[in-house]
Amino acid sequence: MKDAEMQRLEAGMEIDGFRLEQRLHKGGMAFLWAVSRVAPVPGEAPLLMKIPILGDNDDPTAIVGFEVEQMIMPKLAGIHVPHFIASGDFTGHPYIVMERIAGESLRARFDHAPLAVDEVVAIGARVASALHDLHRQHVIHLDIKPSNIMFRASGEAILIDYGLSRHDKLPDLLAEEFRLPMGTGPYISPEQVLHIRNDPRSDLFALGVLLYHLLTGERPHGHPNSVRGLRRRLYRDPVPPRAINPRVPPWLQEIILRCLEVDPSARHDTAAQLAFELQNPDQVKLTSRAAKQARDGLLTVARRWFHAVGMESAPMQSAEQQLARAPIIAVAIDITHGSEELAESLRVAARRILQTAPGARLACVTVKRTSRIGMDDHVDRQGRNIHVKHLVSLKHWARPLGIPPEKITFHVLEAPDPAGAIVDYARLNDVDHIVIGSRGASALRRYLGSVSSQVVAEADCTVTVVKGAGAREEAAPPPQAGTGR
């Protein structure tokens, strides 16, 4: 099914044994359809199909986020997540089928804020319990907001939409490919602003924002739409909830302001501890937070600002912790002008390297060349999304290797300079070894320089250049200290 056809979905159409019944919602990144099985399963709950919007969608994060959700949802279980049913890959029909939850999301209650204290406390306790269950499954949600929270008829909170999430046992594709903060402006934690995605207490910050909004009708840090606006939460504290709504008890202000601390270590250690305090207010230890009636003074804010400036060059511990588990081998593949001979040689070289490092992870990379000035096409002549087309080609290349899904990732970079994009990707993600193909010598390549020779010259890691079947491999070691790079 082509991208253009996926956008003309109609009731009655069948996709991989599921029949489209009714379109429920069209968001910025996906369609939501009520579906049924062509061959019904007795007693099965109502089903929902999520289908990404492709076509002329020029936001690659939407495509990567859909892949993240496809990886994570089958790993989840329990009452606090939608039950996963099936999924389709970009090589065929991209979709996710899951349990369809009845009712509205928590977003509907925000239209009536501020709410009664008892209702807000009950909501917070249920969401915190759901977060604790999620964190025990090695997942940090990283996009907790009202529209991503629903409730079962029995009362338990359900967390939906895992497109921005991180699973500790799976590759973090979003962190590897993008350098802007990921999330929804009002709910992004300070550490997420700094590109740190491995702390479950980020979800507690978002829950604190949610509780603050439900109690006051306002957001603690507004609704910023720029990185500069997001960074204000690194040094500017919010107006205390009791200064806006005097009905907020001191113990609840203590909890909310603790959730909103800039330093994750100053928040609750776990979501379970937060849920416990919400259900046992007499156990809450009150500090100066509980009595605050105004924002901190300018001197305190200035000290925090200087500290936040120093955070600019702080190392991203989350990337180091993730990537230290195993070496990363990046194979750079020219999808646009590929040849099966060179593709097979790249596979042979990759297989040989992986055999020497059983714990390694393979990153398959290609570059979609973009213009330095002007507009680029996002679809080909057949109406297919070019980014998705490259992604499918990478997966076809890798299939003969038979690598387990948790050991391989696929990345379509978009840049005017392919060699520079590959080098930057390797540097930002601590790649240990790049394998890249070369098409041999020509007068033009000798004059202008090839992509592979530029990668060899600029990369900070080992580079293996492969020249096709029967040709030799040229391994270039990483630059030595004192070379000027």
Side-chain angles (χ1 to χ4, degrees):
M1 187 177 292
K2 294 184 174 64
D3 296 346
E5 294 174 320
M6 291 296 287
Q7 314 312 306
R8 294 195 299 268
L9 300 170
E10 298 178 353
M13 291 178 61
E14 295 181 7
I15 301 176
D16 292 352
F18 296 95
R19 181 182 296 109
L20 304 184
E21 302 289 353
Q22 179 186 3
R23 195 174 84 176
L24 304 176
H25 178 70
K26 179 184 178 182
M29 297 185 179
F31 297 104
L32 298 180
W33 278 82
V35 298
S36 60
R37 290 188 190 267
V38 175
V41 175
E44 187 171 55
L47 302 178
L48 178 78
M49 179 179 283
K50 185 173 186 177
I51 303 172
I53 297 176
L54 304 176
D56 201 29
N57 184 1
D58 61 352
D59 183 4
T61 61
I63 299 167
V64 178
F66 190 80
E67 286 206 300
V68 169
E69 193 162 21
Q70 282 186 316
M71 286 197 307
I72 289 179
M73 283 206 67
K75 305 286 187 183
L76 300 178
I79 199 168
H80 297 295
V81 297
H83 298 155
F84 172 81
I85 304 298
S87 67
D89 193 76
F90 281 107
T91 56
H93 306 155
Y95 65 83
I96 300 173
V97 176
M98 66 191 83
E99 168 193 13
R100 176 156 58 96
I101 310 299
E104 296 180 306
S105 73
L106 183 58
R107 176 67 187 84
R109 295 301 294 141
F110 279 74
D111 295 333
H112 304 283
L115 303 182
V117 169
D118 289 348
E119 181 180 357
V120 176
V121 171
I123 290 171
R126 285 185 284 173
V127 175
S129 295
L131 284 172
H132 179 60
D133 185 56
L134 188 70
H135 296 164
R136 291 178 64 186
Q137 298 183 63
H138 310 290
V139 176
I140 309 170
H141 194 283
L142 298 175
D143 196 22
I144 291 297
K145 58 183 179 180
S147 58
N148 285 341
I149 300 170
M150 302 186 73
F151 295 93
R152 296 195 183 277
S154 52
E156 294 87 358
I158 307 170
L159 307 178
I160 64 174
D161 196 347
Y162 294 88
L164 299 183
S165 299
R166 182 188 188 278
H167 192 299
D168 189 53
K169 306 299 182 183
L170 295 173
D172 189 355
L173 302 184
L174 290 165
E176 292 185 357
E177 295 191 27
F178 306 104
R179 285 293 169 263
L180 289 174
M182 296 287 175
T184 304
Y187 303 92
I188 294 177
S189 68
E191 58 271 22
Q192 285 175 266
V193 176
L194 299 172
H195 318 300
I196 296 172
R197 290 171 43 85
N198 71 334
D199 197 324
R201 293 169 296 189
S202 297
D203 288 341
L204 304 190
F205 180 92
L207 180 51
V209 174
L210 187 150
L211 296 177
Y212 185 108
H213 192 180
L214 283 175
L215 285 167
T216 66
E218 301 179 16
R219 298 182 177 96
H221 297 287
H223 201 320
N225 54 14
S226 67
V227 175
R228 181 179 180 181
L230 289 172
R231 287 189 62 85
R232 281 180 57 84
R233 69 197 57 191
L234 296 175
Y235 55 86
R236 197 49 167 129
D237 59 315
V239 175
R242 284 173 52 79
I244 303 173
N245 181 0
R247 293 177 298 171
V248 177
W251 68 266
L252 188 50
Q253 175 164 294
E254 173 74 33
I255 288 176
I256 291 173
L257 292 184
R258 185 176 177 186
C259 288
L260 297 178
E261 288 282 357
V262 174
D263 185 352
S265 66
R267 302 174 204 153
H268 298 81
D269 290 331
T270 66
Q273 292 180 12
L274 173 56
F276 176 85
E277 288 199 352
L278 286 167
Q279 296 173 87
N280 298 273
D282 58 316
Q283 300 292 316
V284 177
K285 181 180 179 181
L286 301 185
T287 69
S288 59
R289 301 186 192 98
K292 282 189 71 172
Q293 288 292 327
R295 284 173 148 181
D296 293 331
L298 292 180
L299 184 59
T300 299
V301 173
R303 283 198 297 264
R304 289 204 202 102
W305 183 84
F306 281 110
H307 180 66
V309 171
M311 292 180 183
E312 289 282 3
S313 58
M316 294 188 296
Q317 296 297 323
S318 58
E320 291 180 359
Q321 291 170 0
Q322 176 195 350
L323 298 174
R325 294 196 300 259
I328 294 185
I329 314 300
V331 181
I333 306 156
D334 186 353
I335 294 298
T336 307
H337 304 290
S339 70
E340 184 52 40
E341 180 185 25
L342 182 56
E344 177 58 28
S345 295
L346 282 167
R347 277 191 290 265
V348 170
R351 185 179 288 112
R352 184 181 301 126
I353 294 169
L354 291 171
Q355 287 173 346
T356 65
R361 179 160 64 84
L362 188 68
C364 303
V365 178
T366 192
V367 181
K368 176 179 178 286
R369 190 189 292 267
T370 58
S371 303
R372 294 186 184 275
I373 301 176
M375 302 293 290
D376 294 295
D377 292 330
H378 303 296
V379 296
D380 63 13
R381 294 179 180 178
Q382 289 74 42
R384 296 174 297 182
N385 184 285
I386 296 173
H387 188 105
V388 173
K389 184 179 176 181
H390 288 351
L391 186 64
V392 171
S393 296
L394 282 178
K395 293 188 175 186
H396 281 312
W397 175 87
R399 185 170 296 142
L401 293 172
I403 299 173
E406 66 273 13
K407 290 290 187 181
I408 187 168
T409 57
F410 304 91
H411 310 272
V412 180
L413 311 178
E414 300 194 11
D417 174 17
I422 293 167
V423 170
D424 286 345
Y425 172 86
R427 184 176 297 120
L428 289 169
N429 294 290
D430 290 343
V431 168
D432 299 284
H433 195 152
I434 299 173
V435 183
I436 188 169
S438 173
R439 300 189 175 280
S442 70
L444 182 62
R445 286 179 182 274
R446 284 195 298 271
Y447 180 73
L448 296 178
S450 67
V451 172
S452 59
S453 63
Q454 185 179 339
V455 170
V456 169
E458 298 179 4
D460 295 329
C461 63
T462 299
V463 180
T464 294
V465 179
V466 179
K467 289 191 173 182
R472 63 191 178 94
E473 299 174 8
E474 300 175 354
Q480 300 298 314
T483 61
R485 288 201 298 275

